[in-house]
Amino acid sequence: MKQLNISIKHNLVIGLLIGLWLFIFAFIIKPFDDGTINFQAWFLISSGFSAVAFLCYGLLAFIQKSLYERIGKWNVSLEITAIFLFHLMYLIGIFAFYKSPILKGGYKFSEFFLIIFIKVALILTPVIILARRYLIKLIPVKDDILIFKGENKLDILKINKADLVCISNAQNYVEIFYTENGKLTSKLLRTSLKNVQKDFGFLMQIHRSHLINPIHFKSWRNANTIILTQIELPVSKNYKETLLAL
């Protein structure tokens, strides 16, 4: 897992669903019923377990969002840590609720952990894992944005990757050709073709003076010229084989 949905709204919805699932499980299945707990008590227990789960997952949402924004990455180890942290917070929360004047539970912590919490954790963990994997699918898809910068601080161009057609050398500048509202346009930036190629590895060199975005290749005009979107460029012999592989 290399992504994390940090949307507080999405995570709170998942927290609500987890709480609802816990309420149904506790109220209907009664996993630790000894025959002495009446309807009203079970409703109270189920509601408390559900509410604590929602609050703990909501707190986790804020914690993981802060961590993700600080380190800028996510992996399996962090995912396992996040789930473990939720269980730890949930254990503390429901034990406090269990021992509160509301329930006045009689189990000690070790007994509560073995008799009650383990059962809850076993049915809860798969639900959390599936829910968090589903959250990744809700991450908005963003267009790839390319940012070109020249030597001058004011020399900057921000465009979608799909709009970039090609880049050509222009003495001490490069000319960036891109489509805007269906029309080919260009901008000069004071930098070198070599620097651009180093920063944007997907570009393909077809000539010592030209780089192209392969998705805009249309066809060959002749043995030495290719047609791109709204522009034609020469191809040198040194790069022809690479281009023929497209």
Side-chain angles (χ1 to χ4, degrees):
M1 177 179 287
K2 296 182 179 180
Q3 288 183 296
L4 176 71
N5 189 333
I6 59 174
S7 168
I8 298 298
K9 177 182 177 180
H10 288 166
N11 278 279
L12 288 180
V13 170
I14 292 300
L16 189 62
L17 293 175
I18 289 172
L20 180 61
W21 163 246
L22 269 175
F23 177 84
I24 294 172
F25 175 80
F27 189 71
I28 296 178
I29 305 300
K30 298 179 175 62
F32 46 92
D33 188 9
D34 59 1
T36 63
I37 305 176
N38 59 33
F39 176 88
Q40 184 177 0
W42 266 116
F43 184 83
L44 190 60
I45 291 171
S46 302
S47 299
F49 276 37
S50 174
V52 173
F54 173 74
L55 292 174
C56 288
Y57 199 86
L59 179 58
L60 176 66
F62 284 97
I63 293 173
Q64 67 185 13
K65 176 181 172 67
S66 175
L67 178 61
Y68 184 79
E69 290 177 341
R70 189 182 312 150
I71 65 177
K73 64 178 182 179
W74 200 254
N75 54 38
V76 175
S77 297
L78 289 171
E79 181 67 10
I80 293 172
T81 302
I83 295 174
F84 175 80
L85 178 60
F86 167 78
H87 282 310
L88 180 61
M89 292 189 296
Y90 187 55
L91 172 60
I92 295 171
I94 59 172
F95 183 70
F97 173 69
Y98 175 77
K99 299 294 285 186
S100 70
I102 300 175
L103 295 184
K104 300 177 182 179
Y107 287 137
K108 296 178 181 179
F109 182 82
S110 58
E111 294 173 327
F112 178 85
F113 179 82
L114 294 172
I115 298 173
I116 298 178
F117 182 76
I118 289 296
K119 294 178 181 178
V120 174
L122 286 175
I123 65 98
L124 193 55
T125 300
V127 175
I128 294 175
I129 292 173
L130 291 174
R132 288 174 68 84
R133 290 183 67 86
Y134 174 73
L135 279 183
I136 295 175
K137 298 180 180 180
L138 300 181
I139 299 175
V141 178
K142 297 182 180 179
D143 293 331
D144 288 330
I145 302 297
L146 305 178
I147 301 177
F148 296 92
K149 294 181 180 180
E151 295 177 4
N152 190 315
K153 291 183 178 180
L154 299 180
D155 280 347
I156 187 169
L157 175 65
K158 182 186 293 186
I159 59 174
N160 289 329
K161 181 179 179 180
D163 293 335
L164 175 65
V165 178
C166 61
I167 303 174
S168 299
N169 188 41
Q171 294 184 352
N172 295 326
Y173 294 81
V174 296
E175 188 170 12
I176 301 172
F177 293 87
Y178 59 98
T179 57
E180 187 173 40
N181 298 322
K183 295 183 179 180
L184 187 69
T185 186
S186 67
K187 180 175 177 62
L188 287 171
L189 293 179
R190 189 177 180 85
T191 185
S192 68
L193 208 64
K194 183 178 180 180
N195 287 338
V196 172
Q197 190 174 28
K198 182 175 65 176
D199 292 338
F200 303 98
F202 70 93
L203 295 172
M204 178 180 291
Q205 188 156 19
I206 62 166
H207 188 278
R208 66 179 183 179
S209 298
H210 303 292
L211 301 172
I212 69 167
N213 184 351
I215 67 172
H216 283 279
F217 172 80
K218 300 297 183 183
S219 63
W220 288 84
R221 169 69 69 191
N222 52 52
N224 301 308
T225 308
I226 61 169
I227 301 174
L228 302 174
T229 302
Q230 301 183 42
I231 193 173
E232 296 181 11
L233 291 176
V235 180
S236 64
K237 293 181 180 179
N238 294 337
Y239 302 103
K240 184 177 291 187
E241 290 299 322
T242 305
L243 193 55
L244 284 170
L246 283 177

